[in-house]
Amino acid sequence: MTDPSPGAAPAAPAQSAGRHAAPPSRRGRTVVAIVLGVLLVLAALLLLRSCRSEEPAEIRVVAVGDMACDPTDPEYNDGRGTEDWCRQADVSDLAVSLEPDLFLGLGDYQYELPTTAGYDEVYGPTWGRLREITRPALGNQEYKVYQANTFRSYFGDYAGEERGYWSYDKGPWHFVVLNSNCTTVVGGCGEGSPQQQWLAEDLAAHEGMCTVAYWHHPRFSNGIMGPDQRTLALWRTLMGHRVAAVLSGHEADYERFPRLDEKGRNDLTGPRQFVVGTGGQIHYHPQVGDAPWRQKLTPVDSDYVNFDTHGVLQLTLKDGSYDWEYVSIDGEVLDSGSDTC
């Protein structure tokens, strides 16, 4: 080994192999923490964006009520039905073929007495194919059995709350299921009733969302049963929160109304009502004397009515708007349109 040159500065001592590097400064640790925090925020944003992209751009909904005949009905005809009666197999075939994301049951699923055998033999093999996407409202037929027990046994967790009114979200839309069996539901349907108060609170909590409400007995109808004034306070509450549409069954026809206030006057802030009681059990055209309500109440004009075909209502729910089609049992679109919410 040669000596260093005269006058040269002595070499720095070599770092021993066993010594650790000096720890990073406090400033260095702060920078690392900030970078990690930014990366975590970016990862969370990307995850949320990915989740949103998986939501459908639109929701396909099928809705109808008044469906399956009793297996002992003379018109049942081994499940084939007749021209006007017991067409639950054909109408449910139509509904299944539309591949909905959600099926809204508008009540009266199994006639005439909703027995377990009826659900097993008739409703189950037909409409039951949509059971897992069904969100059902209670009709009057269901209450022919104590506390609607056969309905609840069949639908299980999909039956909703025992009181018969509840809500849920699907995509950007809010859905409200109400109980129009106003002599059965605790407190009725009037102003200040538990159901009306719950409805007002629920809609206030979902302000700004497009909303569909549905129940069994139509507020407005030109069928045999006519308008049901018991739901006036519920309608007024829906109107106050700019609900887009109300769906009902009960009448054996299809009828679409314009936007109305609770008394049936045209009002663009009111909901649009669809009556869809054409799920297979029967359809019929009211004859003279069939609708005694006309002697007491003034009919409300509808935009479209069809007494002559079975079929389903198909809704395409978008962000801020919706389309509707009434599709007949033959696959023909008989009524259609669009509206904002």
Side-chain angles (χ1 to χ4, degrees):
M1 181 175 179
T2 58
D3 294 329
S5 305
Q15 186 174 2
S16 66
R19 284 184 68 184
H20 296 289
S25 66
R26 179 177 298 175
R27 182 178 180 183
R29 291 196 297 270
T30 301
V31 170
V32 171
I34 291 173
V35 171
L36 288 175
V38 171
L39 290 175
L40 287 173
V41 170
L42 289 174
L45 290 174
L46 289 172
L47 180 61
L48 288 174
R49 182 177 179 182
S50 174
C51 291
R52 282 198 297 268
S53 67
E54 291 175 2
E55 292 182 356
E58 56 188 37
I59 305 168
R60 298 188 308 277
V61 175
V62 166
V64 75
D66 305 84
M67 304 169 192
C69 279
D70 191 288
T72 64
D73 191 315
E75 306 287 344
Y76 181 64
N77 194 23
D78 293 326
R80 296 185 299 274
T82 61
E83 183 176 356
D84 297 329
W85 287 79
C86 304
R87 300 295 296 275
Q88 62 278 328
D90 295 322
V91 188
S92 62
D93 281 347
L94 168 65
V96 170
S97 73
L98 295 174
E99 299 183 347
D101 300 305
L102 195 60
F103 176 60
L104 310 185
L106 305 181
D108 287 4
Y109 305 92
Q110 181 62 57
Y111 285 82
E112 183 68 41
L113 182 67
T115 63
T116 298
Y119 274 107
D120 290 344
E121 295 175 29
V122 188
Y123 187 90
T126 56
W127 288 103
R129 291 175 289 174
L130 297 173
R131 178 176 174 272
E132 292 186 0
I133 60 168
T134 300
R135 303 296 178 266
L138 280 159
N140 54 286
Q141 296 294 331
E142 284 69 71
Y143 281 113
K144 288 184 177 180
V145 173
Y146 179 66
Q147 295 185 344
N149 281 338
T150 52
F151 161 85
R152 298 196 177 283
S153 294
Y154 177 77
F155 282 104
D157 292 340
Y158 304 114
E161 297 189 24
E162 187 171 344
R163 62 189 180 180
Y165 52 93
W166 47 293
S167 69
Y168 59 94
D169 297 337
K170 181 74 172 176
W173 281 72
H174 185 58
F175 296 83
V176 178
V177 188
L178 296 174
N179 191 341
S180 61
N181 293 278
C182 298
T183 58
T184 302
V185 63
V186 174
C189 303
E191 192 73 34
S193 65
Q195 181 171 210
Q196 186 274 325
Q197 292 180 330
W198 170 87
L199 176 62
E201 293 170 1
D202 179 85
L203 293 175
H206 295 86
E207 207 71 57
M209 293 188 72
C210 293
T211 300
V212 169
Y214 58 104
W215 64 75
H216 183 61
H217 304 84
R219 171 68 189 94
F220 303 105
S221 169
N222 288 297
I224 288 178
M225 305 306 296
D228 193 325
Q229 300 191 87
R230 301 175 302 171
T231 55
L232 184 148
L234 299 179
W235 190 281
R236 184 187 297 119
T237 305
L238 297 173
M239 182 179 176
H241 292 272
R242 306 295 293 267
V243 167
V246 174
L247 316 180
S248 299
H250 196 52
E251 299 277 20
D253 57 47
Y254 169 79
E255 190 167 18
R256 172 176 55 82
F257 289 84
R259 294 186 179 193
L260 300 171
D261 69 8
E262 73 275 11
K263 294 184 178 180
R265 299 170 297 201
N266 287 349
D267 193 319
L268 292 178
T269 66
R272 182 187 303 279
Q273 180 174 303
F274 298 84
V275 181
V276 200
T278 51
Q281 195 255 349
I282 189 177
H283 66 77
Y284 48 69
H285 199 296
Q287 303 299 315
V288 175
D290 278 351
W293 63 268
R294 291 178 178 272
Q295 300 172 15
K296 303 176 183 179
L297 300 173
T298 301
V300 175
D301 291 336
S302 59
D303 286 337
Y304 180 88
V305 63
N306 186 300
F307 297 106
D308 301 318
T309 64
H310 293 290
V312 301
L313 176 66
Q314 179 176 239
L315 299 175
T316 304
L317 306 181
K318 307 173 184 179
D319 189 2
S321 67
Y322 68 100
D323 304 330
W324 73 80
E325 293 182 337
Y326 178 64
V327 187
S328 77
I329 198 170
D330 298 321
E332 183 180 359
V333 177
L334 301 179
D335 179 46
S336 63
S338 301
D339 203 353
T340 58
C341 64

